[in-house]
Amino acid sequence: MAKICMAGAGSVIETAEYIKKEMLERGGISPELKDEVRHIQDGVGIDLIVFERYYMRNGSYASLTVAITGDDEAVYVDGIGAGGGGGIFNISWGSETDFTDLLAEILEERGFKALAEEEH
């Protein structure tokens, strides 16, 4: 498993739409958007997105679950990559880390900064 915690400016909806667009357009084999749940009330919201991607190097799928929380001023994004283990020894070869690294790269381009676990 691999995870990231990042914070930035914007809104939950704007950030979620940006992440989906960028995730689905990048890389040789784009991930698949599996599902999304969004709740917004009184300017505060949460958006939960699940992506899945096939990794040929280990012959299995990895998932990326992205939670976007915040209001119209500050947004927090948490990403957890899981799975990707394949074969007889269930070795992931870092596929879940590749998935979270892609999310971090996308967010950094938008000005998001990594948070220490204790801060979040």
Side-chain angles (χ1 to χ4, degrees), residues 20-50:
K20 288 189 299 186
K21 177 185 175 296
E22 293 297 317
M23 288 293 289
L24 297 174
E25 290 180 358
R26 293 189 188 208
I29 299 176
S30 295
E32 180 181 347
L33 176 61
K34 296 306 279 186
D35 214 339
E36 178 178 20
V37 176
R38 180 181 291 166
H39 299 284
I40 306 290
Q41 184 173 351
D42 299 326
V44 177
I46 182 166
D47 197 300
L48 185 66
I49 307 169
V50 178

Side-chain angles (χ1 to χ4, degrees), residues 4-82:
I4 63 163
C5 303
M6 300 182 80
S11 72
V12 170
I13 294 172
E14 175 185 76
T15 303
E17 294 304 315
Y18 174 74
I19 289 170
K20 288 189 299 186
K21 177 185 175 296
E22 293 297 317
M23 288 293 289
L24 297 174
E25 290 180 358
R26 293 189 188 208
I29 299 176
S30 295
E32 180 181 347
L33 176 61
K34 296 306 279 186
D35 214 339
E36 178 178 20
V37 176
R38 180 181 291 166
H39 299 284
I40 306 290
Q41 184 173 351
D42 299 326
V44 177
I46 182 166
D47 197 300
L48 185 66
I49 307 169
V50 178
F51 296 97
E52 186 176 75
R53 176 186 254 167
Y54 181 74
Y55 285 87
M56 291 186 352
R57 69 176 173 242
N58 57 359
S60 65
Y61 288 88
S63 69
L64 176 66
T65 303
V66 182
I68 305 156
T69 56
D71 54 27
D72 289 335
E73 295 180 19
V75 178
Y76 298 93
V77 178
D78 299 290
I80 299 176

